[in-house]
Amino acid sequence: MLWLADAGWRQAAGRIRLNAKARRWALVAAAVALIVLVLRLCATIPRLDDERHLRSDKSVQSIDRRYSCAAQPLDAAVWDLRAAGSSRPFAILPAGRRLSNGGGVLKVTAGQPVCVRIVVPPTSLGGVLAKQEKTIVELFQPLPSEPGLWDSIVLDAVGQKSGISIPIRLRPMQHAHMARRDAVHVYEGELRAYDADVFALDGVVEYRDAAWNYEQPAPLPSTYRPESIAVPRGALVKVIVPRASSFHPGNYARLPVCQRADEPGRWISTEALPFAAETHGLPVYSGRAWLPYRCRLRGYTYSEFLQCLDDHRPFASDSPEKYTIHWFGDTNTRRALKKITSLGAWCSGTMATRSQCLCDDSGEAFPRFTGQNTVRDTLLELNDEDGGWSVREDGAKKDRDMSNPQARIYFHRWEGLTRYNGARWQTTLQPDRIGAYPRADLVVVSLGNMDVSFTQFLEHARQLNELVELLQAAYDDQHIVLRMPQYFCCRAPSGNPPRRMQRDRNRLYGEYMRRLFELHFGTRLHVWDVGSIAETLPLELRKEVTACAVNTVPSELVDLENLQLINGICNPAMLRSKGGLAAGRRDAANAELA
C-alpha cells in the first residue's frame, strides 16, 4: 500500500511537472503572440506626427521638397565613423554641412520640409568600471514599437527673434547598424516651420544604449547628464512667410474656430503678437500665448462651457435629461475638474504660486468633491452659476443638492491600468458599475501617466486590448475622448515609489495607445493632446513645468489644457445631440464656427 501510494505520488508529481511545463509554454506562446500583434500594429498604421493636419491643407500641399529627407540621401561613409575616434553626437543638414565645414542660411517657405539628421557615434569603453557599466547597460533594450531607438534625443528649432521652439520628432533610419547597440546610430526628422524667423538647432542626447527605457529591473539613473549635439556653425533656416499667409499671427482672428483637441501650435511672446491675448481669451504663461497654426482657440469661460453642454442635451433643449460625461482619470483629471467645478477659481490669480497649484495637490482639501484615492466614484452636478458639486461619492448620497443642474460628470478616479487601483481596474467598466450612473453622452479616458511609470510595455499593450473590449461593450455609440500622456523631459525620474517616466517612453506609450484606439473606434475617437502644450514651450520653461515628481503641470497650463478640450467638445463634430439644438442656438453656434 505504501509502495502504491508512493508510486501514485510520483505519477501525480510527474503530471504536475508536465502541467507546469505546459503552462510555461502557453505563457511563452501568449507573449510571442502579443509581441507579433504589437509589431503588426506599429508597422501597418501610419506614423503620427504633430503636423499631419497641416499637411492636409491646400496651402502646403504643393511646397518645395528639395530639402526633405527623401531628397537628401545620407553619405554612406557616416556609418563607418567609428574609426574617427570622437563619440560626440552631431547634426547633418541639407548639403551635408558639419561643424568643421561651416554653414549657411537656408531659405525656405512656410511648411517647407528641411531634413535634419543626428549621428550618434558609439563610445569606447575600457577598464574595470567599463565592464561593470556594460553589465548594467545591457539590461536596457529599446521598446518593441521602436526597435532601433537606442538613443533618446531632444532636438528643437528655436526662432532667434520670436523664441518660438519647434520640437523635431526623430526616428531611427533604416539600416543594419540600427539593430546593434555598439554601432553608429543615425536618426532623422523634418523641420517644418510656419512663422517668419531665422531658426537654429539646439539639442542634446539624454541617454545612450537604450538607458532611457526602464523596462527591466535595472537601477534607475540618479543623475541626468545630457550630451550636447554639435551643430554646424552658422547653419540657420530662414522661414519666409508672406503677410497675407494664414500662418501669419496678424491673420489669427480670421482663422476658423478649432474643432479638434489635438491641433498643433506654438508659443509666441505676447509682445510679438499684433493683438492682445486677452482679446481672444487666450491663457498666458510666462509672457507667452499658445496659438494653433490653422485655427483659433475660442476663449470659453467655464460658465460658457457648461452652457454649451446645456445647449446640447441628449434629446432637446427642454429635455429633463442633462448632458452627461463619464470621465476616467488620474491626478491630472482631478486638477482639470477642480478648475471646471470652481469655474476657474481654483488656483487662480495670486494663489497660482502655491505648491499644490504648481505641482502636487493630493493633500489639498477641496470642498466641491473629494477626488483622492479614498473615493473612486463621484457624481458631479454642475451649472453655470455655482460650478459643480459632488452629489454622490462611492454610492453614498451627499448632503447637498444642486439647483437647476445643467450637466453631470461621473468621475472615476483610477491609476491607469496598473496595480495601484486597489481593486482590479476592470471592475470599473462592468455593467452593474456603469449602469449605476446616468447614461453617458461623451466618454473621456485619461491614460498613460501611471502606465508608463509602473507597467512594462507589453503588459500595458495586453491591458489596453482588454480596455478597448470593455469600452466597446459599455459604450456602443458614444464619442470617446482619449487624453494623451503628459509631456516629460529633461530630468531623471523620481518619486516614491520611483516613477519610470521618460520622454520617449511617454511618447511611445501614447502613440501605441492612440493607434489602437483609432483602429477600434474610428471616427468616434477624439484625441486630447495635452502633451503638445508643454512640449512646444522653450526648453527652460519646459524644464520648469515638468519638474513635478508626479508629472502634473502648473494650474495656469491646466486652464489651457481644458480650453483645448472645450474647443474640441463645443462644436458639431464631437457633441452628441440626438434631437439637435434649438434653432436659435444652432444658428449662433454655426455663425461662430463659420
Side-chain angles (χ1 to χ4, degrees):
M1 293 295 292
L2 288 175
W3 177 85
L4 288 174
D6 184 56
W9 180 86
R10 286 199 300 269
Q11 290 176 356
R15 286 195 297 271
I16 291 172
R17 284 194 295 271
L18 288 173
N19 290 339
K21 186 175 182 180
R23 285 196 297 272
R24 283 197 297 271
W25 279 111
L27 288 173
V28 170
V32 170
L34 183 60
I35 292 172
V36 170
L37 174 65
V38 169
L39 294 177
R40 283 181 177 175
L41 184 62
C42 295
T44 57
I45 300 178
R47 290 288 185 192
L48 302 170
D49 59 77
D50 284 340
E51 289 151 350
R52 59 196 175 280
H53 308 317
L54 294 172
R55 293 177 191 172
S56 65
D57 285 0
K58 294 180 181 179
S59 59
V60 296
Q61 284 183 347
S62 58
I63 56 178
D64 187 345
R65 300 183 181 275
R66 75 180 81 175
Y67 301 127
S68 68
C69 289
Q72 294 289 320
L74 179 67
D75 186 346
V78 168
W79 298 105
D80 298 321
L81 283 176
R82 184 169 185 171
S86 174
S87 61
R88 187 182 181 188
F90 62 88
I92 296 179
L93 288 115
R97 288 188 280 266
R98 281 190 59 187
L99 183 64
S100 59
N101 300 331
V105 177
L106 204 62
K107 294 183 179 179
V108 299
T109 56
Q112 184 174 349
V114 176
C115 183
V116 179
R117 294 188 174 106
I118 302 299
V119 181
V120 184
T123 55
S124 300
L125 296 176
V128 177
L129 287 176
K131 290 181 181 179
Q132 292 175 350
E133 182 179 345
K134 188 172 185 291
T135 302
I136 295 173
V137 162
E138 287 180 350
L139 292 171
F140 297 100
Q141 298 290 334
L143 286 175
S145 62
E146 195 79 276
L149 189 64
W150 295 99
D151 310 285
S152 176
I153 302 171
V154 178
L155 184 66
D156 298 313
V158 181
Q160 302 302 284
K161 181 179 179 181
S162 65
I164 291 172
S165 183
I166 303 173
I168 301 174
R169 297 283 181 88
L170 299 168
R171 299 287 184 185
M173 290 194 68
Q174 298 295 316
H175 193 277
H177 276 46
M178 301 305 292
R180 293 168 44 198
R181 183 189 297 275
D182 60 348
V184 172
H185 300 148
V186 184
Y187 305 88
E188 67 179 9
E190 290 181 340
L191 163 63
R192 291 172 181 258
Y194 297 87
D195 292 281
D197 206 337
V198 177
F199 289 86
L201 294 182
D202 182 26
V204 297
V205 174
E206 291 189 293
Y207 301 99
R208 292 176 180 251
D209 294 308
W212 57 269
N213 182 30
Y214 321 124
E215 284 281 287
Q216 303 303 321
L220 292 180
S222 58
T223 57
Y224 180 74
R225 296 190 297 266
E227 304 174 64
S228 63
I229 295 172
V231 179
R233 284 190 298 268
L236 302 170
V237 177
K238 183 176 183 179
V239 183
I240 301 169
V241 181
R243 178 65 179 78
S245 170
S246 62
F247 297 116
H248 195 286
N251 299 316
Y252 179 74
R254 299 188 181 96
L255 294 176
V257 173
C258 294
Q259 300 190 39
R260 306 175 62 110
D262 64 342
E263 288 285 355
R266 74 289 203 195
W267 289 91
I268 299 180
S269 168
T270 54
E271 295 180 356
L273 290 176
F275 54 83
E278 294 75 15
T279 304
H280 296 281
L282 294 174
V284 174
Y285 183 76
S286 194
R288 295 176 178 273
W290 192 81
L291 276 67
Y293 284 108
R294 71 167 194 169
C295 62
R296 62 181 173 87
L297 284 174
R298 177 182 170 185
Y300 285 91
T301 65
Y302 288 106
S303 291
E304 289 172 335
F305 171 50
L306 296 176
Q307 292 165 13
C308 159
L309 296 184
D310 188 39
D311 284 343
H312 290 77
R313 292 186 183 189
F315 298 99
S317 59
D318 58 351
S319 168
E321 291 297 320
K322 314 304 178 191
Y323 195 90
T324 301
I325 299 174
H326 287 193
W327 199 323
F328 302 86
D330 55 13
T331 298
N332 292 285
T333 293
R334 180 181 66 226
R335 292 168 72 83
L337 290 177
K338 283 184 175 181
K339 279 290 189 181
I340 293 172
T341 57
S342 68
L343 300 181
W346 177 71
C347 282
S348 62
T350 57
M351 294 188 297
T353 57
R354 296 184 304 169
S355 59
Q356 58 264 46
C357 302
L358 296 173
C359 180
D360 187 4
D361 64 316
S362 59
E364 178 191 44
F366 188 66
R368 293 178 176 271
F369 66 94
T370 302
Q372 312 300 345
N373 291 347
T374 53
V375 174
R376 290 294 178 177
D377 293 317
T378 302
L379 181 62
L380 298 162
E381 290 190 344
L382 309 97
N383 65 38
D384 58 3
E385 293 183 358
D386 301 327
W389 295 85
S390 64
V391 295
R392 202 188 328 165
E393 293 187 356
D394 281 346
K397 192 176 186 303
K398 303 293 286 185
D399 187 22
R400 64 170 70 101
D401 289 302
M402 280 289 292
S403 59
N404 190 31
Q406 295 170 298
R408 293 178 297 212
I409 295 177
Y410 160 56
F411 168 39
H412 176 76
R413 174 77 163 83
W414 69 8
E415 310 300 328
L417 311 182
T418 71
R419 64 183 184 275
Y420 289 98
N421 282 300
R424 296 177 72 247
W425 65 265
Q426 291 88 341
T427 61
T428 303
L429 291 163
Q430 297 305 314
D432 59 334
R433 188 82 164 263
I434 295 295
Y437 291 88
R439 187 182 190 279
D441 299 293
L442 183 69
V443 181
V444 181
V445 179
S446 176
L447 281 174
N449 301 299
M450 293 293 290
D451 307 279
V452 169
S453 300
F454 301 115
T455 307
Q456 292 186 348
F457 183 80
L458 289 178
E459 173 61 17
H460 180 55
R462 186 187 70 78
Q463 301 265 19
L464 277 176
N465 289 336
E466 192 173 356
L467 173 64
V468 165
E469 291 178 2
L470 290 170
L471 286 172
Q472 288 176 320
Y475 306 107
D476 57 353
D477 65 344
Q478 288 92 335
H479 288 270
I480 308 290
V481 176
L482 177 64
R483 177 184 168 124
M484 300 293 279
Q486 298 292 127
Y487 181 72
F488 183 92
C489 172
C490 317
R491 65 178 175 88
S494 59
N496 186 23
R499 294 173 179 260
R500 296 171 181 262
M501 286 183 285
Q502 195 276 337
R503 188 181 56 85
D504 284 301
R505 278 178 63 82
N506 285 36
R507 175 178 62 83
L508 292 171
Y509 272 58
E511 286 182 3
Y512 180 81
M513 190 166 65
R514 179 174 184 155
R515 291 184 190 125
L516 187 69
F517 272 61
E518 285 177 342
L519 184 65
H520 288 280
F521 295 105
T523 56
R524 285 204 289 144
L525 178 70
H526 306 270
V527 176
W528 182 12
D529 189 8
V530 295
S532 64
I533 291 176
E535 185 179 16
T536 49
L537 279 166
L539 187 58
E540 288 308 310
L541 288 178
R542 219 179 302 171
K543 293 177 182 178
E544 177 182 300
V545 302
T546 59
C548 181
V550 296
N551 205 31
T552 57
V553 297
S555 58
E556 294 166 283
L557 292 186
V558 175
D559 279 321
L560 179 52
E561 292 174 349
N562 283 348
L563 189 59
Q564 257 189 323
L565 177 65
I566 293 168
N567 272 260
I569 288 179
C570 291
N571 70 78
M574 189 185 299
L575 273 170
R576 180 177 180 272
S577 179
K578 292 184 177 179
L581 295 168
R585 290 173 174 168
R586 183 191 300 114
D587 293 342
N590 289 340
E592 175 63 30
L593 290 167

